[in-house]
Structure formats: C-alpha cells, structure tokens
Amino acid sequence: MLSTRVTQVLLLMPLRSCHCFSLPPRAGCHPAQPPLISRTSAPRAQWDPTEMFEDAMRKATGNEDYRFGDLTKGAADEVKRSVESVLEPVATSITGKESYQFGDLTRKVLSDADEALATTRDAYFEELPAAMWRQLFGGLTPQQRSDVVIALCQFTAVCVLSLSLVSNLLQGAFFSVAWGLSSRHSRLSPLAAGQWPALLRTHATLRLALGPLLLPAELTAAALLTPRYRRAVAALQARMPLRASQPVLSRVCALAVAWALVNGVAVLAGTAAGVAIAAAVAGGPVWPPN
C-alpha cells in the first residue's frame, strides 16, 4: 500500500522547468533572448517541494487535512496497534489488566523487580541480628553465653570510663588555663566578687576553639588507656569479698569504685594542681583576700 501511494505521488508531481530539457539552437540561429524583467515587477514565486508533496498526497489519498509526516505517523500507529493486538493476551495474563497498552509489560517487570528487592532487603535486615547471634554464640552452652555477654559488657564499660577519664582530664586542663588567663588579666582570684563570669567565658572559649582540634588525640589516648584501666578494674575486682559467690556484683562494684577513684578523685586532684600552677605562673592569688 505504501509503495503504491509513493508511485502515485511521483506521477502527480510536476517537473520543474529546467534549461537542461531544452533543445540546443540550430547552427546560425541565435537563441531567443529572455525578456527583461523590470525591477518594479513582482518576484516569481519560489518552488516549495514540501507543499507540492502535500498537494499530491491530498489528491492521492483524498485527505484534505494531510500534512507532511502524517503517512509515517499512521504507519507507526498501525505497527503499534499490531504489536498491542499480538501481546494483549499474554500481557493481560501477566499484568492483570483488562486491556493492554504499549509499555505495560516493562512497567510490570520493573515493579515486580522493585518489590522483590525490597522484600529481600527487609528480610536481610530482619534476619541479620539473629544470624550474628547464632554465629557468635551458636556452639556455646548457656553458662558460656552468659560469661561472654558479661565480659563484653564489662569491656564496653571500661572503654567508656577510659574515654570519660581522658575527657575529664582535658576539661581540667582547660579550666586551669582559663584560671591562669583570668587571674593574669585581672590580678585577682577568679573566686573574687565579679570574677567568676570572666573565668567561665574564658573556659568556654578554650573548649570551643581547642576541643574539636584535640578530639583525635583524645580518642587515641582513650584507646591506649583502656588496657591499663581494665587491669586496674581487674585488680579491684580481685580484692572484692564477694568475688567467688557473686562475680557479676563484684565486677559492677569494681567498675563503680574505679570510676569514683580515678574519674572523680584523681581528676579533681589534677585540676586543683593545675589551678595552683596556673595561679603561680600568672602571679595572682588562688583565694581572694579576706
């Protein structure tokens, strides 16, 4: 059908006049001179191949509304309808829709793939803790599992206490430096009337300026201190009177005593020594005058 229409179009299209189709003049005769066209005469209409093709297609198809490209669009629509008619029985059974439209199969496949991936991901994250628990404690007896859990909790507590100790020592150092700066500026003790707010402002400034910069060093020091802290807790636990009958209670008591002595008393003593040194360097008194 398409080749027949193209043949009709080519037969109906007029040939453009060209000098190559004119016979050569006879010998001795001069060719007729073309008439002169004045500058004021109307210009000759330009030859538009698209418009001529549309006119020829309107005459061949009988469609007065034909535009260039309609024939190609019509052929593409026919191919699309043919594909839809062939795939409609299979597509309706897969997608569950009453009628098939081009692209429904692709959308159905992508939707099913997304649902399967989401289901697999949810199942993986739901089963991961149980799988890790079976991998870690699957071959242990209940008593062994209890001992392992208690040991992990104790090690975590020791790590937290070590980091807390380093952080408290750093804050004590900041407080001592702030004490010395305030005392050097005012030549008075920060405990004097009206001097405590200046000490707090200086301390906050030091924390904001130096705290983030010293965070890697703080973490490194806590990691290096953890084994020593654990040995100290173990030594305290060995001296507990209930270590044989109540091992869990003795571990908790050892951690509490270590926190009170090391993180509490030792840090306060170090901060007090730092304040005394800072006051001596700044040349100001530690205590206000009576």
Side-chain angles (χ1 to χ4, degrees):
M1 182 185 297
L2 183 59
S3 61
T4 304
R5 292 182 178 178
V6 173
T7 304
Q8 293 176 357
V9 170
L10 294 177
L11 292 175
L12 292 175
M13 288 179 62
L15 296 176
R16 183 182 178 184
S17 60
C18 182
H19 292 290
C20 60
F21 292 101
S22 61
L23 296 176
R26 295 181 181 179
C29 298
H30 298 284
Q33 297 293 331
L36 297 176
I37 301 177
S38 61
R39 296 181 180 179
T40 58
S41 60
R44 183 180 299 178
Q46 294 182 357
W47 182 68
D48 190 356
T50 302
E51 184 177 355
M52 296 182 65
F53 182 80
E54 291 178 351
D55 293 339
M57 290 300 298
R58 293 191 189 102
K59 294 178 182 180
T61 59
N63 183 9
E64 297 296 333
D65 297 330
Y66 176 81
R67 291 291 182 271
F68 187 78
D70 288 349
L71 189 62
T72 305
K73 296 177 183 177
D77 292 338
E78 290 180 1
V79 172
K80 182 179 178 181
R81 285 192 293 269
S82 301
V83 172
E84 289 179 352
S85 62
V86 172
L87 295 178
E88 185 172 4
V90 180
T92 52
S93 63
I94 295 177
T95 60
K97 297 175 63 176
E98 297 181 356
S99 60
Y100 170 74
Q101 294 181 353
F102 194 78
D104 286 348
L105 280 176
T106 304
R107 286 189 290 269
K108 177 63 176 176
V109 171
L110 294 177
S111 177
D112 292 344
D114 291 340
E115 292 179 359
L117 182 60
T119 303
T120 304
R121 184 178 60 250
D122 295 340
Y124 175 77
F125 284 107
E126 289 177 0
E127 297 177 359
L128 182 61
M132 293 180 61
W133 181 267
R134 290 192 299 268
Q135 186 70 22
L136 293 174
F137 309 108
L140 302 178
T141 62
Q143 182 62 35
Q144 291 174 341
R145 293 179 185 175
S146 177
D147 293 340
V148 170
V149 171
I150 292 174
L152 290 176
C153 293
Q154 183 178 2
F155 180 75
T156 303
V158 169
C159 293
V160 173
L161 291 177
S162 299
L163 182 60
S164 175
L165 174 60
V166 175
S167 179
N168 291 340
L169 290 175
L170 185 62
Q171 297 304 319
F174 286 160
F175 187 82
S176 301
V177 174
W179 186 290
L181 293 176
S182 299
S183 179
R184 183 176 182 180
H185 179 73
S186 62
R187 296 298 178 180
L188 297 174
S189 172
L191 298 177
Q195 300 300 317
W196 189 256
L199 171 65
L200 296 181
R201 287 194 299 268
T202 306
H203 181 244
T205 303
L206 290 175
R207 289 180 56 187
L208 292 175
L210 300 179
L213 298 178
L214 296 177
L215 182 60
E218 184 178 352
L219 296 176
T220 304
L224 296 175
L225 184 62
T226 299
R228 294 177 175 81
Y229 205 109
R230 184 177 61 83
R231 288 194 294 268
V233 172
L236 290 174
Q237 182 180 353
R239 291 177 172 82
M240 292 293 169
L242 301 176
R243 63 182 182 277
S245 59
Q246 298 292 336
V248 177
L249 180 61
S250 64
R251 290 179 181 178
V252 174
C253 293
L255 289 172
V257 172
W259 174 80
L261 293 178
V262 180
N263 295 48
V265 177
V267 170
L268 288 176
T271 303
V275 166
I277 295 173
V281 172
V286 176
W287 302 101
N290 295 329

PDB file of all heavy atoms in Angstrom, residues 204-229:
ATOM      1  N   ALA A 204      34.864  28.549  78.262  1.00  0.00           N
ATOM      2  CA  ALA A 204      34.023  28.181  77.121  1.00  0.00           C
ATOM      3  C   ALA A 204      34.722  28.474  75.801  1.00  0.00           C
ATOM      4  O   ALA A 204      34.619  27.697  74.836  1.00  0.00           O
ATOM      5  CB  ALA A 204      32.687  28.924  77.194  1.00  0.00           C
ATOM      6  N   THR A 205      35.445  29.589  75.743  1.00  0.00           N
ATOM      7  CA  THR A 205      36.176  29.921  74.515  1.00  0.00           C
ATOM      8  C   THR A 205      37.261  28.891  74.219  1.00  0.00           C
ATOM      9  O   THR A 205      37.443  28.466  73.066  1.00  0.00           O
ATOM     10  CB  THR A 205      36.787  31.320  74.643  1.00  0.00           C
ATOM     11  OG1 THR A 205      35.759  32.273  74.915  1.00  0.00           O
ATOM     12  CG2 THR A 205      37.518  31.709  73.363  1.00  0.00           C
ATOM     13  N   LEU A 206      37.976  28.474  75.242  1.00  0.00           N
ATOM     14  CA  LEU A 206      39.009  27.453  75.045  1.00  0.00           C
ATOM     15  C   LEU A 206      38.409  26.122  74.587  1.00  0.00           C
ATOM     16  O   LEU A 206      38.959  25.437  73.717  1.00  0.00           O
ATOM     17  CB  LEU A 206      39.793  27.250  76.347  1.00  0.00           C
ATOM     18  CG  LEU A 206      40.704  28.416  76.769  1.00  0.00           C
ATOM     19  CD1 LEU A 206      41.310  28.132  78.138  1.00  0.00           C
ATOM     20  CD2 LEU A 206      41.800  28.630  75.740  1.00  0.00           C
ATOM     21  N   ARG A 207      37.274  25.749  75.149  1.00  0.00           N
ATOM     22  CA  ARG A 207      36.627  24.492  74.753  1.00  0.00           C
ATOM     23  C   ARG A 207      36.173  24.537  73.304  1.00  0.00           C
ATOM     24  O   ARG A 207      36.355  23.576  72.548  1.00  0.00           O
ATOM     25  CB  ARG A 207      35.432  24.212  75.664  1.00  0.00           C
ATOM     26  CG  ARG A 207      35.799  23.816  77.076  1.00  0.00           C
ATOM     27  CD  ARG A 207      34.548  23.557  77.895  1.00  0.00           C
ATOM     28  NE  ARG A 207      33.715  22.541  77.268  1.00  0.00           N
ATOM     29  CZ  ARG A 207      32.497  22.210  77.707  1.00  0.00           C
ATOM     30  NH1 ARG A 207      31.976  22.846  78.750  1.00  0.00           N
ATOM     31  NH2 ARG A 207      31.812  21.262  77.109  1.00  0.00           N
ATOM     32  N   LEU A 208      35.585  25.655  72.889  1.00  0.00           N
ATOM     33  CA  LEU A 208      35.102  25.756  71.513  1.00  0.00           C
ATOM     34  C   LEU A 208      36.242  25.825  70.508  1.00  0.00           C
ATOM     35  O   LEU A 208      36.132  25.312  69.386  1.00  0.00           O
ATOM     36  CB  LEU A 208      34.203  26.990  71.368  1.00  0.00           C
ATOM     37  CG  LEU A 208      32.863  26.937  72.106  1.00  0.00           C
ATOM     38  CD1 LEU A 208      32.138  28.267  71.963  1.00  0.00           C
ATOM     39  CD2 LEU A 208      31.999  25.794  71.588  1.00  0.00           C
ATOM     40  N   ALA A 209      37.346  26.457  70.889  1.00  0.00           N
ATOM     41  CA  ALA A 209      38.453  26.630  69.947  1.00  0.00           C
ATOM     42  C   ALA A 209      39.342  25.400  69.852  1.00  0.00           C
ATOM     43  O   ALA A 209      39.774  25.016  68.756  1.00  0.00           O
ATOM     44  CB  ALA A 209      39.278  27.858  70.344  1.00  0.00           C
ATOM     45  N   LEU A 210      39.625  24.760  70.994  1.00  0.00           N
ATOM     46  CA  LEU A 210      40.601  23.662  71.010  1.00  0.00           C
ATOM     47  C   LEU A 210      39.973  22.276  71.119  1.00  0.00           C
ATOM     48  O   LEU A 210      40.636  21.287  70.811  1.00  0.00           O
ATOM     49  CB  LEU A 210      41.572  23.860  72.183  1.00  0.00           C
ATOM     50  CG  LEU A 210      42.380  25.160  72.167  1.00  0.00           C
ATOM     51  CD1 LEU A 210      43.278  25.235  73.396  1.00  0.00           C
ATOM     52  CD2 LEU A 210      43.209  25.261  70.888  1.00  0.00           C
ATOM     53  N   GLY A 211      38.719  22.198  71.566  1.00  0.00           N
ATOM     54  CA  GLY A 211      38.086  20.890  71.739  1.00  0.00           C
ATOM     55  C   GLY A 211      38.010  20.062  70.456  1.00  0.00           C
ATOM     56  O   GLY A 211      38.459  18.909  70.428  1.00  0.00           O
ATOM     57  N   PRO A 212      37.472  20.600  69.350  1.00  0.00           N
ATOM     58  CA  PRO A 212      37.422  19.805  68.113  1.00  0.00           C
ATOM     59  C   PRO A 212      38.798  19.439  67.577  1.00  0.00           C
ATOM     60  O   PRO A 212      38.969  18.372  66.982  1.00  0.00           O
ATOM     61  CB  PRO A 212      36.666  20.723  67.144  1.00  0.00           C
ATOM     62  CG  PRO A 212      35.867  21.624  68.013  1.00  0.00           C
ATOM     63  CD  PRO A 212      36.706  21.859  69.215  1.00  0.00           C
ATOM     64  N   LEU A 213      39.777  20.324  67.759  1.00  0.00           N
ATOM     65  CA  LEU A 213      41.116  20.026  67.248  1.00  0.00           C
ATOM     66  C   LEU A 213      41.782  18.894  68.028  1.00  0.00           C
ATOM     67  O   LEU A 213      42.573  18.122  67.464  1.00  0.00           O
ATOM     68  CB  LEU A 213      41.985  21.291  67.307  1.00  0.00           C
ATOM     69  CG  LEU A 213      41.499  22.477  66.468  1.00  0.00           C
ATOM     70  CD1 LEU A 213      42.419  23.678  66.667  1.00  0.00           C
ATOM     71  CD2 LEU A 213      41.421  22.112  64.989  1.00  0.00           C
ATOM     72  N   LEU A 214      41.477  18.788  69.309  1.00  0.00           N
ATOM     73  CA  LEU A 214      42.110  17.772  70.150  1.00  0.00           C
ATOM     74  C   LEU A 214      41.311  16.478  70.229  1.00  0.00           C
ATOM     75  O   LEU A 214      41.715  15.557  70.958  1.00  0.00           O
ATOM     76  CB  LEU A 214      42.304  18.322  71.562  1.00  0.00           C
ATOM     77  CG  LEU A 214      43.263  19.518  71.682  1.00  0.00           C
ATOM     78  CD1 LEU A 214      43.311  20.013  73.116  1.00  0.00           C
ATOM     79  CD2 LEU A 214      44.660  19.136  71.198  1.00  0.00           C
ATOM     80  N   LEU A 215      40.194  16.393  69.498  1.00  0.00           N
ATOM     81  CA  LEU A 215      39.370  15.186  69.561  1.00  0.00           C
ATOM     82  C   LEU A 215      40.108  13.933  69.069  1.00  0.00           C
ATOM     83  O   LEU A 215      40.014  12.874  69.723  1.00  0.00           O
ATOM     84  CB  LEU A 215      38.083  15.395  68.766  1.00  0.00           C
ATOM     85  CG  LEU A 215      37.097  14.225  68.770  1.00  0.00           C
ATOM     86  CD1 LEU A 215      36.657  13.899  70.195  1.00  0.00           C
ATOM     87  CD2 LEU A 215      35.888  14.536  67.893  1.00  0.00           C
ATOM     88  N   PRO A 216      40.851  13.951  67.952  1.00  0.00           N
ATOM     89  CA  PRO A 216      41.601  12.739  67.575  1.00  0.00           C
ATOM     90  C   PRO A 216      42.608  12.309  68.630  1.00  0.00           C
ATOM     91  O   PRO A 216      42.746  11.111  68.915  1.00  0.00           O
ATOM     92  CB  PRO A 216      42.286  13.152  66.267  1.00  0.00           C
ATOM     93  CG  PRO A 216      41.443  14.252  65.713  1.00  0.00           C
ATOM     94  CD  PRO A 216      40.949  14.995  66.914  1.00  0.00           C
ATOM     95  N   ALA A 217      43.315  13.279  69.214  1.00  0.00           N
ATOM     96  CA  ALA A 217      44.265  12.928  70.270  1.00  0.00           C
ATOM     97  C   ALA A 217      43.544  12.371  71.502  1.00  0.00           C
ATOM     98  O   ALA A 217      44.048  11.449  72.176  1.00  0.00           O
ATOM     99  CB  ALA A 217      45.091  14.156  70.651  1.00  0.00           C
ATOM    100  N   GLU A 218      42.361  12.887  71.781  1.00  0.00           N
ATOM    101  CA  GLU A 218      41.579  12.384  72.917  1.00  0.00           C
ATOM    102  C   GLU A 218      41.162  10.933  72.703  1.00  0.00           C
ATOM    103  O   GLU A 218      41.268  10.095  73.618  1.00  0.00           O
ATOM    104  CB  GLU A 218      40.356  13.280  73.108  1.00  0.00           C
ATOM    105  CG  GLU A 218      39.499  12.931  74.299  1.00  0.00           C
ATOM    106  CD  GLU A 218      38.330  13.889  74.447  1.00  0.00           C
ATOM    107  OE1 GLU A 218      38.294  14.904  73.712  1.00  0.00           O
ATOM    108  OE2 GLU A 218      37.453  13.607  75.278  1.00  0.00           O
ATOM    109  N   LEU A 219      40.703  10.603  71.497  1.00  0.00           N
ATOM    110  CA  LEU A 219      40.307   9.229  71.197  1.00  0.00           C
ATOM    111  C   LEU A 219      41.507   8.283  71.232  1.00  0.00           C
ATOM    112  O   LEU A 219      41.409   7.148  71.721  1.00  0.00           O
ATOM    113  CB  LEU A 219      39.621   9.174  69.836  1.00  0.00           C
ATOM    114  CG  LEU A 219      38.296   9.936  69.714  1.00  0.00           C
ATOM    115  CD1 LEU A 219      37.782   9.871  68.287  1.00  0.00           C
ATOM    116  CD2 LEU A 219      37.259   9.378  70.692  1.00  0.00           C
ATOM    117  N   THR A 220      42.634   8.737  70.700  1.00  0.00           N
ATOM    118  CA  THR A 220      43.844   7.901  70.726  1.00  0.00           C
ATOM    119  C   THR A 220      44.304   7.635  72.151  1.00  0.00           C
ATOM    120  O   THR A 220      44.673   6.497  72.504  1.00  0.00           O
ATOM    121  CB  THR A 220      44.959   8.587  69.930  1.00  0.00           C
ATOM    122  OG1 THR A 220      44.496   8.843  68.591  1.00  0.00           O
ATOM    123  CG2 THR A 220      46.193   7.723  69.870  1.00  0.00           C
ATOM    124  N   ALA A 221      44.289   8.654  72.981  1.00  0.00           N
ATOM    125  CA  ALA A 221      44.693   8.472  74.380  1.00  0.00           C
ATOM    126  C   ALA A 221      43.740   7.528  75.104  1.00  0.00           C
ATOM    127  O   ALA A 221      44.175   6.699  75.923  1.00  0.00           O
ATOM    128  CB  ALA A 221      44.733   9.830  75.077  1.00  0.00           C
ATOM    129  N   ALA A 222      42.442   7.619  74.816  1.00  0.00           N
ATOM    130  CA  ALA A 222      41.483   6.707  75.450  1.00  0.00           C
ATOM    131  C   ALA A 222      41.730   5.269  75.021  1.00  0.00           C
ATOM    132  O   ALA A 222      41.636   4.333  75.838  1.00  0.00           O
ATOM    133  CB  ALA A 222      40.064   7.134  75.093  1.00  0.00           C
ATOM    134  N   ALA A 223      42.055   5.043  73.738  1.00  0.00           N
ATOM    135  CA  ALA A 223      42.340   3.679  73.262  1.00  0.00           C
ATOM    136  C   ALA A 223      43.604   3.123  73.923  1.00  0.00           C
ATOM    137  O   ALA A 223      43.659   1.927  74.263  1.00  0.00           O
ATOM    138  CB  ALA A 223      42.489   3.685  71.742  1.00  0.00           C
ATOM    139  N   LEU A 224      44.617   3.962  74.103  1.00  0.00           N
ATOM    140  CA  LEU A 224      45.841   3.493  74.756  1.00  0.00           C
ATOM    141  C   LEU A 224      45.646   3.266  76.252  1.00  0.00           C
ATOM    142  O   LEU A 224      46.329   2.427  76.863  1.00  0.00           O
ATOM    143  CB  LEU A 224      46.968   4.512  74.538  1.00  0.00           C
ATOM    144  CG  LEU A 224      47.409   4.712  73.074  1.00  0.00           C
ATOM    145  CD1 LEU A 224      48.443   5.823  72.982  1.00  0.00           C
ATOM    146  CD2 LEU A 224      47.942   3.414  72.491  1.00  0.00           C
ATOM    147  N   LEU A 225      44.716   4.003  76.853  1.00  0.00           N
ATOM    148  CA  LEU A 225      44.494   3.884  78.290  1.00  0.00           C
ATOM    149  C   LEU A 225      43.582   2.710  78.653  1.00  0.00           C
ATOM    150  O   LEU A 225      43.598   2.259  79.811  1.00  0.00           O
ATOM    151  CB  LEU A 225      43.891   5.190  78.810  1.00  0.00           C
ATOM    152  CG  LEU A 225      43.672   5.319  80.320  1.00  0.00           C
ATOM    153  CD1 LEU A 225      45.001   5.240  81.066  1.00  0.00           C
ATOM    154  CD2 LEU A 225      42.952   6.627  80.635  1.00  0.00           C
ATOM    155  N   THR A 226      42.805   2.213  77.705  1.00  0.00           N
ATOM    156  CA  THR A 226      41.820   1.166  78.009  1.00  0.00           C
ATOM    157  C   THR A 226      42.442  -0.096  78.607  1.00  0.00           C
ATOM    158  O   THR A 226      41.920  -0.630  79.606  1.00  0.00           O
ATOM    159  CB  THR A 226      41.018   0.831  76.738  1.00  0.00           C
ATOM    160  OG1 THR A 226      40.316   1.994  76.296  1.00  0.00           O
ATOM    161  CG2 THR A 226      40.019  -0.281  76.995  1.00  0.00           C
ATOM    162  N   PRO A 227      43.544  -0.653  78.063  1.00  0.00           N
ATOM    163  CA  PRO A 227      44.108  -1.863  78.703  1.00  0.00           C
ATOM    164  C   PRO A 227      44.546  -1.627  80.144  1.00  0.00           C
ATOM    165  O   PRO A 227      44.326  -2.496  81.021  1.00  0.00           O
ATOM    166  CB  PRO A 227      45.293  -2.203  77.795  1.00  0.00           C
ATOM    167  CG  PRO A 227      44.974  -1.580  76.479  1.00  0.00           C
ATOM    168  CD  PRO A 227      44.264  -0.323  76.815  1.00  0.00           C
ATOM    169  N   ARG A 228      45.135  -0.486  80.431  1.00  0.00           N
ATOM    170  CA  ARG A 228      45.578  -0.201  81.796  1.00  0.00           C
ATOM    171  C   ARG A 228      44.374  -0.025  82.733  1.00  0.00           C
ATOM    172  O   ARG A 228      44.405  -0.476  83.892  1.00  0.00           O
ATOM    173  CB  ARG A 228      46.456   1.050  81.811  1.00  0.00           C
ATOM    174  CG  ARG A 228      47.774   0.875  81.068  1.00  0.00           C
ATOM    175  CD  ARG A 228      48.583   2.169  81.050  1.00  0.00           C
ATOM    176  NE  ARG A 228      49.894   1.989  80.437  1.00  0.00           N
ATOM    177  CZ  ARG A 228      50.118   1.982  79.131  1.00  0.00           C
ATOM    178  NH1 ARG A 228      49.107   2.170  78.282  1.00  0.00           N
ATOM    179  NH2 ARG A 228      51.342   1.793  78.661  1.00  0.00           N
ATOM    180  N   TYR A 229      43.336   0.619  82.206  1.00  0.00           N
ATOM    181  CA  TYR A 229      42.131   0.797  83.013  1.00  0.00           C
ATOM    182  C   TYR A 229      41.494  -0.566  83.301  1.00  0.00           C
ATOM    183  O   TYR A 229      41.005  -0.819  84.408  1.00  0.00           O
ATOM    184  CB  TYR A 229      41.147   1.694  82.273  1.00  0.00           C
ATOM    185  CG  TYR A 229      40.183   2.434  83.165  1.00  0.00           C
ATOM    186  CD1 TYR A 229      40.297   3.802  83.347  1.00  0.00           C
ATOM    187  CD2 TYR A 229      39.161   1.780  83.827  1.00  0.00           C
ATOM    188  CE1 TYR A 229      39.414   4.495  84.162  1.00  0.00           C
ATOM    189  CE2 TYR A 229      38.273   2.453  84.646  1.00  0.00           C
ATOM    190  CZ  TYR A 229      38.413   3.812  84.810  1.00  0.00           C
ATOM    191  OH  TYR A 229      37.538   4.488  85.639  1.00  0.00           O
TER     192      TYR A 229
END
